[in-house]
Amino acid sequence: MLTKTKIYLSSPHMGGSEQKFVNAAFDTNWIAPLGPNVDGFEKDIQNYLGDQTHVAVLSSGTAALHLALQLLGVSNGDEVLCQSFTFSASANPIVYLGATPVFIDSEPDTWNMSPELLEIAIKDRIEKHKKPKAIIAVHLYGMPYKVNEINAIAKKYDIPVVEDSAEALGSTYHGMACGALSDIGILSFNGNKIITTSGGGALIAHTEALKNKAVFLSTQARDNAPHYEHSAIGYNYRMSNVLAGIGRGQMEVLDDRVAARRQNFEFYKKHLSKYESISFLEEPEGSFSNRWITCIKTDSFKLREQIRLELQQDDIESRPLWKPMHMQPIFKDCLHFTDGTSENLFEKGLCLPSGSNLVQDDLFRILNSITKTLNL
């Protein structure tokens, strides 16, 4: 009896040329967190995002968020407005710096930060003499947030925006690349992302000076001296030349990976839209999503769980949508401005397998498992 192979939610997908760059690192003994692959990977990302970007590749997207907040002057006692419907890595770096997160709910058009609730929160905090130090907005599952609206509000109150584009490399907003749309952007190259360096991330700045400051902090803040001199606290956050080599190879196939993920979405939509109990998040006008993860919203928690458990029984990984941060035990005492949108999405939403290495047999196997439940 043949055993079915497990289907994962989003597994790494190598393109073939990664080994060439990694071998070059070994052949030249550039193993440390500097070298030609680091410089080349940063240049590749800059070329992809646009001329006005300066990239520092780092050990993780979380490290990039931490440095972004520090570069914006966030410190002990400050408040930072953060999207509630996201992974905890969006919020954790706020706490690293001794600041406090204030969570903002989503809106239904993109499932991302609600501009209306954002402005309500800003007004409330200013009235209470706690003007927020920064805003963290997230392009969730690759869908761009309402950049123009969020940026306009941020500019109105003079609060910088950190653009969490960890899930959105390859997505665009009115033709502009996600990651380069706000004051500081961040990317993630974790193993489940649209391209991966095994572990890694990047900080996207709009000036070379800001990028250089990020690099300085990410390499233990060593001052320019013949000995080890430190006038600031630094971190060991720089990406290694070996992992950057994987990234260089992955950048060569990024557009193919986006196309494959979008094809997965279209497959699910084509076959599941006929069911009234299932809905999909559509792209608002001007938005182009890399469709990193295809998500469905069911009409009930019961149906969501029936589908998830049936998939699990068939050795197919799926996962509920992110549990909002304001519902997490660690953040239960934090202030939040919510209207139930993200709680409803968490209760009824499910992430489906979305890897760019899925084949037709995989997709039909997933579909058959889902429809088995829907046709009951």
Side-chain angles (χ1 to χ4, degrees):
M1 180 179 174
L2 291 175
T3 303
K4 288 183 178 179
T5 304
K6 182 178 179 69
I7 296 177
Y8 292 94
L9 189 69
S10 179
S11 59
H13 189 185
M14 295 294 102
S17 65
E18 295 86 358
Q19 194 70 49
K20 171 185 66 177
F21 294 103
V22 172
N23 286 345
F26 277 83
D27 291 343
T28 58
N29 204 34
W30 281 108
I31 307 300
L34 75 167
N37 282 337
V38 171
D39 297 337
F41 189 28
E42 290 178 341
K43 195 68 63 80
D44 293 341
I45 298 168
Q46 287 170 197
N47 290 340
Y48 192 88
L49 295 180
D51 294 339
Q52 303 305 310
T53 57
H54 300 268
V55 176
V57 290
L58 304 167
S59 57
S60 68
T62 310
L65 275 167
H66 185 193
L67 292 184
L69 292 174
Q70 186 160 343
L71 290 170
L72 293 174
V74 174
S75 61
N76 188 56
D78 289 332
E79 290 187 353
V80 175
L81 302 174
C82 181
Q83 187 163 312
S84 184
F85 195 39
T86 185
F87 180 48
S88 63
S90 298
N92 287 341
I94 300 169
V95 183
Y96 298 168
L97 292 165
T100 301
V102 174
F103 294 111
I104 311 298
D105 213 338
S106 296
E107 43 77 22
D109 296 345
T110 67
W111 297 357
N112 293 316
M113 182 179 281
S114 163
E116 180 181 352
L117 290 173
L118 173 65
E119 186 158 28
I120 289 171
I122 292 172
K123 288 179 177 178
D124 176 88
R125 303 322 293 151
I126 290 175
E127 285 175 7
K128 294 179 173 61
H129 308 289
K130 288 291 292 184
K131 181 181 176 181
K133 196 77 173 188
I135 298 164
I136 298 175
V138 186
H139 301 299
L140 203 69
Y141 302 118
M143 182 65 72
Y145 60 78
K146 293 182 173 178
V147 176
N148 286 347
E149 289 91 331
I150 298 293
N151 282 354
I153 293 167
K155 185 176 181 181
K156 178 179 177 181
Y157 296 97
D158 193 27
I159 303 172
V161 177
V162 177
E163 179 189 358
D164 185 341
S165 198
E167 302 171 3
L169 182 59
S171 299
T172 62
Y173 180 80
H174 292 283
M176 298 178 292
C178 289
L181 303 173
S182 297
D183 295 280
I184 299 179
I186 74 101
L187 301 172
S188 172
F189 307 116
N190 192 30
N192 63 356
K193 294 302 187 291
I194 196 153
I195 65 167
T196 183
T197 57
S198 175
L203 182 144
I204 316 300
H206 291 289
T207 67
E208 191 168 6
L210 195 63
K211 176 231 169 133
N212 290 341
K213 190 169 182 182
V215 171
F216 171 73
L217 292 171
S218 72
T219 51
Q220 300 291 16
R222 296 194 300 269
D223 293 334
N224 185 19
H227 54 276
Y228 287 99
E229 183 84 6
H230 304 273
S231 55
I233 295 294
Y235 310 93
N236 186 17
Y237 279 173
R238 200 73 162 118
M239 181 180 286
S240 82
N241 196 55
V242 176
L243 297 190
I246 300 174
R248 295 212 70 187
Q250 288 274 280
M251 285 299 294
E252 293 182 359
V253 295
L254 173 55
D255 288 340
D256 294 336
R257 301 297 181 255
V258 172
R261 301 255 178 175
R262 287 179 64 83
Q263 286 169 9
N264 291 339
F265 173 85
E266 293 301 331
F267 175 89
Y268 288 125
K269 182 182 174 185
K270 175 184 176 182
H271 292 283
L272 294 175
S273 289
K274 63 183 179 182
Y275 296 95
E276 292 183 2
S277 56
I278 300 290
S279 62
F280 292 83
L281 180 63
E282 300 291 349
E283 291 167 318
E285 184 178 353
S287 291
F288 175 88
S289 172
N290 65 11
R291 296 293 185 186
W292 171 60
I293 298 289
T294 292
C295 305
I296 57 172
K297 185 183 177 188
T298 66
D299 62 2
S300 68
F301 171 78
K302 180 181 177 182
L303 180 59
R304 196 282 305 276
E305 281 300 278
Q306 287 175 330
I307 294 172
R308 184 182 69 80
L309 293 172
E310 185 64 43
L311 288 167
Q312 182 176 288
Q313 183 69 27
D314 290 340
D315 209 13
I316 299 168
E317 185 180 21
S318 66
R319 192 170 296 159
L321 301 188
W322 297 122
K323 183 176 183 179
M325 290 300 100
H326 71 272
M327 297 176 67
Q328 297 287 350
I330 192 65
F331 295 124
K332 63 182 173 61
D333 295 326
C334 290
L335 187 63
H336 57 89
F337 292 79
T338 54
D339 60 8
T341 297
S342 59
E343 292 182 26
N344 182 263
L345 289 167
F346 168 60
E347 181 182 350
K348 299 176 181 177
L350 189 68
C351 300
L352 301 180
S354 302
S356 52
N357 48 8
L358 292 174
V359 298
Q360 283 291 299
D361 285 350
D362 296 328
L363 290 167
F364 276 107
R365 183 177 146 199
I366 298 162
L367 178 66
N368 290 337
S369 186
I370 295 172
T371 54
K372 199 186 308 179
T373 301
L374 293 173
N375 290 329
L376 287 176

